[in-house]
Amino acid sequence: MAKKIRIGVIGTGGIANGAHLPGYAKIPDECEIFAICDIDSKALKSTSEKYPDIKHKFEDYKKLLDMPEIDGVSVCTPNYSHCHITVDALAAGKNVLCEKPIGMNAKEGAKMVEAAKKSGKFLQIGYNSRFAPTNQTLKKFIDAKELGDIYYARAQALRVRGIPGWGVFIDKSKQGGGPLIDIGVHMLDLTLWFMGHPKPISASGVTYQKFGKRSDIVGFMGQWDYKNFTVEDMAAALIRFDNGATIVLESSFVANLKEDHQNVTLLGTEGGAEAYPLSITQERHKSVFSFSPEMPNKNINTHAVEMASFVECIRDKKQPLVTGEHGLMVAKIMDAIYKSSDEGKEVKIL
Ligand SMILES: NC(=O)c1ccc[n+]([C@@H]2O[C@H](COP(=O)([O-])OP(=O)(O)OC[C@H]3O[C@@H](n4cnc5c(N)ncnc54)[C@H](O)[C@@H]3O)[C@@H](O)[C@H]2O)c1
């Protein structure tokens, strides 16, 4: 039997406990969670109690990286620490699955991509939506040219009342921004992948802060500290690409909408598609038909597939589906949108 891949998880908060640890624990024949780490002793203790078989526990991530037995590391800490922990992990010879976004900005993202190149190990970014069976199926239609050339897309990650009440999600200095960099990035990454990653050339963006500082807004995701809310609560952008295509992106933590929207809409010369729920539209006999698949696994946990894929890439020495370069492209677009919003004009992306 092949050797089990040994995994270290840095940061044992929401995403580690909700996705990474259960994802790895689901494939015990393939991998072993060898060590965990959190600077917060309480978080470390409560996770240790849930996973008593994990032998090594640290408050300093560098001690975890010092373990030669570890093959791959999940970086599950807040955005402001993605860059230095990932760079250190790669330098220590570990493959890295870093949670999204790649870093606080493109400068950090570029450092992380460079560190992966130097190390000979790989960097995967946690855009798990790509692993959804419905999105994998849609990508097959696109790659078979059944939608023709995709020239326009709309990416939406809109919450009605969804400011996270935990962590540092409302602190621009630690998070880099608000819903755009937290949830908008998921739908943007998915759209870029569907479109085959054309080169972005410019973005025109706007951000708004209309609700986050109000004490009377009821949170559906816990109560945040409205006095220290420093990020946008809604953002929108038009992104242009060198092949003439455009993406319109909308993202909110709070908006006066009837309901939340998470979707990607694609318009192509031969067909169109909606990702959530998946439907494909094509012209047939001078009529327009839309159809949706029956898929038994359509509600599968995409995080579990993501962890399994990370382990498989380490074992089989393969490149991941979501690369550091893909994460960097998203970060460049984020930077341009925030800059465009600050300057009130379209901004070039180099
Ligand atoms: N892919 C997804 O769908 C998804 C969902 C939620 C969060 N995330 C991402 O995961 C990351 C973490 O989010 P979360 O909700 O788990 O936050 P969280 O605040 O619940 O957990 C973060 C944990 O990291 C620990 N930590 C901070 N600095 C550390 C360090 N230097 N070394 C070790 N531990 C450290 C904190 O003490 C905390 O326990 C963010 O980047 C977020 O964008 C991704």
Side-chain angles (χ1 to χ4, degrees), residues 6-7 20 50 63 65 68 76 80 98 110 115 130 138 149 153 159 174 188-189 198 244 264 271 290 308 321 342 345:
R6 285 174 166 163
I7 298 291
H20 290 246
K50 270 199 247 163
K63 293 200 172 137
L65 297 181
C76 298
Y80 71 93
C98 177
R130 287 207 215 168
L138 173 52
D149 293 325
R159 288 184 189 153
K174 295 190 167 156
L188 177 61
D189 172 75
V264 173
S290 294
L321 175 66
D342 286 349
K345 61 179 192 202

Side-chain angles (χ1 to χ4, degrees), residues 104-107 330-340 347:
M104 295 272 282
N105 48 46
K107 195 175 166 196
V330 172
K332 284 183 180 177
I333 295 172
M334 290 296 110
D335 283 5
I337 294 172
Y338 284 124
K339 187 165 185 243
S340 164
V347 161

Side-chain angles (χ1 to χ4, degrees), residues 10-16 20 37-40 43 59-61 75-82 84-85 99-101 126-128 166-169 175 181-182 186 303 306:
I10 302 177
T12 60
I15 197 65
H20 290 246
C37 162
D38 203 294
I39 42 168
D40 176 349
E59 288 183 24
D60 177 355
Y61 75 88
V75 176
C76 298
T77 58
N79 297 356
Y80 71 93
S81 55
H82 287 184
H84 69 263
I85 296 179
E99 258 312 330
K100 42 57 58 175
Y127 288 119
N128 55 294
W166 71 95
V168 298
F169 294 91
Q175 180 72 1
I181 202 165
D182 185 37
H186 271 298
H303 289 289
E306 178 186 45

Side-chain angles (χ1 to χ4, degrees), residues 211-266:
F211 302 97
K213 282 188 180 294
R214 273 173 52 180
S215 60
D216 60 329
I217 300 289
V218 178
F220 293 0
M221 292 174 65
Q223 207 52 51
W224 68 98
D225 176 7
Y226 67 92
K227 288 190 188 124
N228 289 307
F229 185 91
T230 54
V231 298
E232 84 278 2
D233 44 42
M234 199 263 167
L238 177 85
I239 307 147
R240 293 176 197 272
F241 295 84
D242 69 345
N243 63 354
T246 49
I247 296 177
V248 167
L249 171 65
E250 296 175 330
S251 187
S252 69
F253 279 159
V254 184
N256 283 328
L257 288 163
K258 190 173 134 208
E259 58 196 3
D260 292 353
H261 291 279
Q262 175 185 282
N263 202 7
V264 173
T265 306
L266 302 171

Side-chain angles (χ1 to χ4, degrees), residues 109-147:
K111 268 193 207 164
M112 294 161 75
V113 167
E114 197 46 43
K117 273 191 203 146
K118 259 197 210 157
S119 70
K121 300 292 164 185
F122 70 81
L123 169 60
Q124 176 173 339
I125 307 299
Y127 288 119
N128 55 294
S129 306
R130 287 207 215 168
F131 293 95
T134 48
N135 290 333
Q136 291 277 334
T137 301
L138 173 52
K139 180 70 170 153
K140 288 191 181 118
F141 275 83
I142 293 167
D143 289 348
K145 283 281 173 199
E146 293 191 52
L147 304 191

